[in-house]
Amino acid sequence: MIVNFEFLDDEPIENMMTSLHFQVEKVVFFGYEDVIAKKMEVTERFLKKYCGVREVAFCALSKRDLQSVTKTMREAIAKEKNQNHQIFFDSTGGEDLLLVAFGMMAESFSAPMHRFDIETCEVTE
Protein backbone atom coordinates (compact mmCIF):
# COMPACT_ATOMS: atom_id res chain seq x y z
CA MET A 1 0.00 0.00 0.00
CA ILE A 2 1.23 3.50 -0.81
CA VAL A 3 0.83 5.82 2.17
CA ASN A 4 1.32 9.57 2.08
CA PHE A 5 1.92 11.48 5.31
CA GLU A 6 1.14 15.17 5.26
CA PHE A 7 -0.04 18.17 7.23
CA LEU A 8 -3.70 19.05 7.45
CA ASP A 9 -3.76 22.68 6.39
CA ASP A 10 -6.53 25.26 6.36
CA GLU A 11 -6.00 25.58 2.60
CA PRO A 12 -7.89 22.66 1.01
CA ILE A 13 -5.75 22.49 -2.15
CA GLU A 14 -2.61 21.91 -0.07
CA ASN A 15 -4.30 18.86 1.47
CA MET A 16 -5.13 17.37 -1.93
CA MET A 17 -2.18 18.06 -4.25
CA THR A 18 -0.31 14.80 -3.84
CA SER A 19 -3.43 12.67 -4.06
CA LEU A 20 -4.57 14.56 -7.16
CA HIS A 21 -1.27 13.91 -8.94
CA PHE A 22 -0.21 10.47 -7.70
CA GLN A 23 -1.89 7.15 -6.96
CA VAL A 24 -2.02 7.19 -3.19
CA GLU A 25 -3.97 4.48 -1.38
CA LYS A 26 -3.89 5.97 2.11
CA VAL A 27 -3.31 9.46 3.47
CA VAL A 28 -2.37 10.13 7.07
CA PHE A 29 -2.81 13.76 8.08
CA PHE A 30 -0.97 15.30 11.00
CA GLY A 31 -2.59 18.43 12.35
CA TYR A 32 -4.03 20.36 15.24
CA GLU A 33 -7.27 19.20 16.86
CA ASP A 34 -9.23 22.33 15.89
CA VAL A 35 -8.22 22.03 12.22
CA ILE A 36 -8.93 18.29 12.18
CA ALA A 37 -12.42 18.87 13.61
CA LYS A 38 -13.10 21.51 10.96
CA LYS A 39 -11.59 19.81 7.89
CA MET A 40 -11.80 16.05 8.50
CA GLU A 41 -15.14 15.20 6.94
CA VAL A 42 -14.85 17.23 3.73
CA THR A 43 -11.20 16.23 3.23
CA GLU A 44 -11.88 12.52 3.59
CA ARG A 45 -14.95 12.66 1.34
CA PHE A 46 -13.06 14.49 -1.43
CA LEU A 47 -10.02 12.20 -1.33
CA LYS A 48 -12.13 9.05 -1.54
CA LYS A 49 -14.53 10.34 -4.19
CA TYR A 50 -12.20 12.22 -6.55
CA CYS A 51 -8.70 10.86 -5.88
CA GLY A 52 -9.35 7.16 -5.34
CA VAL A 53 -7.82 7.17 -1.87
CA ARG A 54 -9.06 4.12 0.07
CA GLU A 55 -8.18 5.17 3.61
CA VAL A 56 -7.74 8.49 5.40
CA ALA A 57 -6.48 8.89 8.97
CA PHE A 58 -5.96 11.94 11.16
CA CYS A 59 -3.44 12.33 14.00
CA ALA A 60 -3.73 15.28 16.35
CA LEU A 61 -0.48 16.96 17.35
CA SER A 62 0.63 19.34 20.07
CA LYS A 63 1.08 22.97 19.05
CA ARG A 64 4.14 23.51 21.27
CA ASP A 65 5.81 20.28 22.38
CA LEU A 66 8.31 18.92 19.83
CA GLN A 67 8.86 15.71 21.82
CA SER A 68 5.14 14.99 21.84
CA VAL A 69 4.87 15.78 18.13
CA THR A 70 7.74 13.47 17.16
CA LYS A 71 6.43 10.67 19.42
CA THR A 72 2.96 10.81 17.83
CA MET A 73 4.42 10.97 14.33
CA ARG A 74 6.88 8.16 14.96
CA GLU A 75 4.12 5.84 16.19
CA ALA A 76 1.86 6.51 13.20
CA ILE A 77 4.70 6.15 10.70
CA ALA A 78 6.09 3.00 12.32
CA LYS A 79 2.63 1.42 12.18
CA GLU A 80 2.55 1.81 8.39
CA LYS A 81 6.20 0.88 7.90
CA ASN A 82 5.74 -2.30 9.99
CA GLN A 83 3.03 -3.37 7.55
CA ASN A 84 5.57 -3.05 4.72
CA HIS A 85 3.76 -0.10 3.19
CA GLN A 86 5.60 2.37 0.97
CA ILE A 87 5.67 5.71 2.76
CA PHE A 88 6.09 9.23 1.46
CA PHE A 89 6.12 12.63 3.12
CA ASP A 90 4.43 15.72 1.67
CA SER A 91 5.72 18.86 3.38
CA THR A 92 3.36 21.22 1.53
CA GLY A 93 1.85 23.56 4.10
CA GLY A 94 2.50 23.10 7.79
CA GLU A 95 4.06 25.30 10.42
CA ASP A 96 7.64 25.52 11.66
CA LEU A 97 7.41 23.01 14.53
CA LEU A 98 5.69 20.45 12.33
CA LEU A 99 8.15 20.93 9.49
CA VAL A 100 11.08 20.33 11.83
CA ALA A 101 9.47 17.14 13.11
CA PHE A 102 8.60 16.04 9.57
CA GLY A 103 12.19 16.43 8.44
CA MET A 104 13.34 14.39 11.42
CA MET A 105 10.87 11.61 10.56
CA ALA A 106 11.77 11.52 6.88
CA GLU A 107 15.43 11.16 7.83
CA SER A 108 14.74 8.60 10.55
CA PHE A 109 12.60 6.39 8.29
CA SER A 110 14.70 7.00 5.14
CA ALA A 111 11.57 8.02 3.26
CA PRO A 112 11.28 10.48 0.38
CA MET A 113 9.87 13.92 1.11
CA HIS A 114 8.40 16.30 -1.44
CA ARG A 115 6.70 19.68 -1.58
CA PHE A 116 4.29 21.11 -4.14
CA ASP A 117 4.53 24.66 -5.40
CA ILE A 118 0.82 25.36 -5.73
CA GLU A 119 1.21 28.24 -8.21
CA THR A 120 3.41 26.35 -10.69
CA CYS A 121 2.20 22.81 -9.88
CA GLU A 122 5.84 21.71 -9.62
CA VAL A 123 7.11 19.07 -7.23
CA THR A 124 10.38 19.53 -5.36
CA GLU A 125 11.98 16.54 -3.66
Side-chain angles (χ1 to χ4, degrees), residues 7 14-16 19 35 49 58 61 63 67 71-72 89-90 107 114 119-120:
F7 304 116
E14 292 184 2
N15 299 328
M16 312 297 175
S19 297
V35 179
K49 184 174 182 177
F58 298 87
L61 299 175
K63 290 185 178 186
Q67 260 188 319
K71 181 180 185 284
T72 301
F89 294 94
D90 179 352
E107 177 71 23
H114 66 276
E119 292 180 17
T120 63

Side-chain angles (χ1 to χ4, degrees), residues 70-71 73-75 77-78 81 87 89 100-113:
T70 56
K71 181 180 185 284
M73 284 183 167
R74 188 174 306 283
E75 289 170 357
I77 296 163
K81 195 76 165 156
I87 61 171
F89 294 94
V100 168
F102 225 41
M104 293 167 62
M105 293 300 107
E107 177 71 23
S108 177
F109 285 93
S110 300
M113 186 163 58

Side-chain angles (χ1 to χ4, degrees), residues 14-28:
E14 292 184 2
N15 299 328
M16 312 297 175
M17 287 300 288
T18 294
S19 297
L20 284 167
H21 288 86
F22 299 101
Q23 293 180 334
V24 176
E25 295 166 287
K26 181 175 182 177
V27 179
V28 178

Side-chain angles (χ1 to χ4, degrees), residues 15-54:
N15 299 328
M16 312 297 175
M17 287 300 288
T18 294
S19 297
L20 284 167
H21 288 86
F22 299 101
Q23 293 180 334
V24 176
E25 295 166 287
K26 181 175 182 177
V27 179
V28 178
F29 285 103
F30 294 115
Y32 302 131
E33 282 187 44
D34 57 328
V35 179
I36 290 172
K38 190 169 54 173
K39 300 287 184 184
M40 182 170 59
E41 189 177 317
V42 69
T43 300
E44 184 171 2
R45 186 172 48 243
F46 183 91
L47 288 172
K48 287 181 174 181
K49 184 174 182 177
Y50 296 105
C51 301
V53 173
R54 290 190 285 171

